[in-house]
Amino acid sequence: MSTVRGREARDRLLRAAAELIAEYGWTAVTTRMVADRAGIGAGLVHYHFESVAALLAEAAITAARGMMTELESLLAQSDDPLSVLLGMLDDYSGRDPMSLLLVEAYLAASRDVQLRQELGGVVDGCRRMLEVRLAERGVPDASGTAIVLAAAVDGLLLHRALTGRPSGADIASVLRQLLPTGGRETS
């Protein structure tokens, strides 16, 4: 198999796995399902990945890294990290494919040490990004604030999956009260 074709097949498998995790749940996804969705023979799944679990983990980590890259880009374009986070929150209903994929990945990570480490690394990277942006804004405890903001957004996403609310606008004023501006306006 040529390098390009191999890379394309691998990418199709990762996309298919991510879609299927969101649709059916982590434990319901099989080699056959992924191969069928990707339009690839089932044998190629194990050519590219040592197991279905490895494929699912890589699909989830790839998606989480993509989300982190998106956040990094948005943070670089804005002077208001909180508005960026709340805006991203409003892009996800809690029942959309990305939200469901991440919820499934968090649950799977509670039972899989390697996935927990890799997904934890993505979460830590996100926190560090926020910490840097908050420190630039003069927030006194940028590290602690980044941890709380990231956890709040994760928790709010879980609530939205169950109840459909709150929106970013619903919680913006509360979070802004918790976020010192260091002398710079955040409106």
Side-chain angles (χ1 to χ4, degrees):
M1 177 178 288
S2 77
T3 304
V4 172
R5 283 185 36 207
R7 197 172 319 120
E8 289 171 357
R10 185 177 175 80
D11 289 346
R12 287 201 328 253
L13 289 167
L14 289 169
R15 281 192 305 275
E19 291 170 5
L20 291 165
I21 292 167
E23 289 174 32
Y24 296 102
W26 195 277
T27 58
V29 178
T30 66
T31 300
R32 172 67 51 208
M33 291 169 73
V34 176
D36 288 349
R37 177 70 58 96
I40 292 173
L44 286 178
V45 173
H46 294 289
Y47 174 81
H48 289 285
F49 300 93
E50 72 180 48
S51 66
V52 173
L55 167 59
L56 300 180
E58 189 167 333
I61 295 301
T62 299
R65 285 184 180 136
M67 188 178 240
M68 191 169 95
T69 299
E70 177 187 356
L71 175 61
E72 186 174 29
S73 173
L74 292 170
L75 286 171
Q77 299 170 31
S78 174
D79 250 359
D80 187 355
L82 183 56
S83 288
V84 169
L85 283 176
L86 296 176
M88 277 191 82
L89 176 66
D90 282 342
D91 289 342
Y92 299 98
S93 67
R95 295 182 195 123
D96 61 277
M98 180 59 87
S99 297
L100 293 172
L101 171 64
L102 291 177
V103 168
E104 289 285 337
Y106 275 36
L107 180 59
S110 70
R111 294 177 180 92
D112 179 328
V113 174
Q114 183 174 348
L115 177 59
R116 182 171 44 250
Q117 290 171 343
E118 289 184 48
L119 195 54
V122 174
V123 170
D124 284 342
C126 182
R127 288 183 193 150
R128 283 191 301 276
M129 253 192 312
L130 279 172
E131 179 181 348
V132 167
R133 296 295 294 171
L134 293 169
E136 290 171 354
R137 297 196 47 76
V139 173
D141 183 5
S143 177
T145 303
I147 289 168
V148 169
L149 283 175
V153 168
D154 279 351
L156 291 164
L157 191 60
L158 290 172
H159 282 237
R160 291 183 80 195
L162 298 172
T163 66
R165 53 186 173 79
S167 71
D170 292 338
I171 58 158
S173 64
V174 173
L175 289 178
R176 286 203 188 284
Q177 291 174 37
L178 299 174
L179 186 63
T181 63
R184 293 171 67 180
E185 194 57 41
T186 60
S187 56

